[in-house]
Amino acid sequence: MSGERTVLTIDTATETVVTGVVRLTASGEASTLAERTVHDHRRHAEILTTLIREVLDEAGLAGADLNAVVVGAGPGPFTGLRVGLATAAAYGDALGIPVHGVCSLDAIAVVAADRTALVVTDARRREVYWARYRDGQRTAGSDVAPPATLADALADQPVDAVVGPPAFTEPIAAGRAEEIGATHPTPAALASVAFDAISAGVAPPPLEPLYLRRPDAVELKDQRRKSLLPVTDGA
C-alpha cells in the first residue's frame, strides 16, 4: 500500500537484545511483523545477526523489502551500543537504505506516552540512565545519576509514572508514582519514534551513540597509568 514503510529495528542499549520487523502506515501506525528479544547482554555480537535473519524469515521478507533501519542509540554501555550501531550501519550500507538512530529511552517512554513519566535503565555502577517525559516528549535528559538522586528530585518535580526495571522503579517511585516495568524498547516503539524522520524522506544524520560516560576499559587503563606514576613531594 502506498505510503507504508517496512523497517528493521535493533536495540542493544540494555541487557536485552531487541530486533524486529515493523510495518509503518502513512499515518504512523506501527504493526510488528516479527520480533526477537533475548536477555543476554554478554552475547550481543554473537546473536544479533542470527536474530535479524530469524525475524526477516518469519516476516517472509528479504533485505531488499526493507525501507529503513532504526537502531537504539542509547544511552547504554559502550560494547553493547557499538554492536547494535555497527550492525545497523552495515545493513543500511549493504542495502542502500537510511539508518535512523533514536534515543532508546524515548522508545521505552512510549508505554507512558500520555503521562508525565521518568524512564530509567540500568547504567551499572549503582547508577541509572534517565530521562523525563511529558505526553511522549522528552523534557529533561538523557543523563546518568544514582537512583537516590532521582528519588529526591521527584519531591520537587513529581511524575505520574516511573518506567524501567523494578529494582530501580520501586525505590525511585517510593509510592509517589506508578511503577511500569518496561525494561527495554519494543520494535514497534523504536519504529514509531523514528516515524517523522522516516516519512520526511531526508537522509538521516550520522549515527551518534549516547554513551554519557567513558567506557570501563578506558577508566581502568587510566587508573592503572596513575598507579605507575612516580610519587613526588610537592605542595
Side-chain angles (χ1 to χ4, degrees), residues 26-79:
S27 62
E29 295 181 8
S31 58
T32 303
L33 306 182
E35 67 178 301
R36 294 288 187 278
T37 56
V38 177
H39 187 77
D40 189 345
H41 72 280
R42 297 183 181 277
R43 298 177 59 227
H44 284 54
E46 297 176 37
I47 63 178
L48 183 54
T49 300
T50 298
L51 297 180
I52 292 172
R53 184 170 61 249
E54 289 179 0
V55 294
L56 286 171
D57 289 345
E58 183 177 322
L61 300 172
D65 298 313
L66 298 172
N67 301 114
V69 180
V70 175
V71 59
F78 178 82
T79 302

Side-chain angles (χ1 to χ4, degrees), residues 125-146:
R125 305 185 205 164
R126 299 180 181 178
E127 292 181 320
V128 293
Y129 299 117
W130 68 270
R132 180 178 279 112
Y133 298 83
R134 183 184 298 275
D135 298 328
Q137 300 299 312
R138 188 171 0 131
T139 59
S142 56
D143 208 338
V144 60

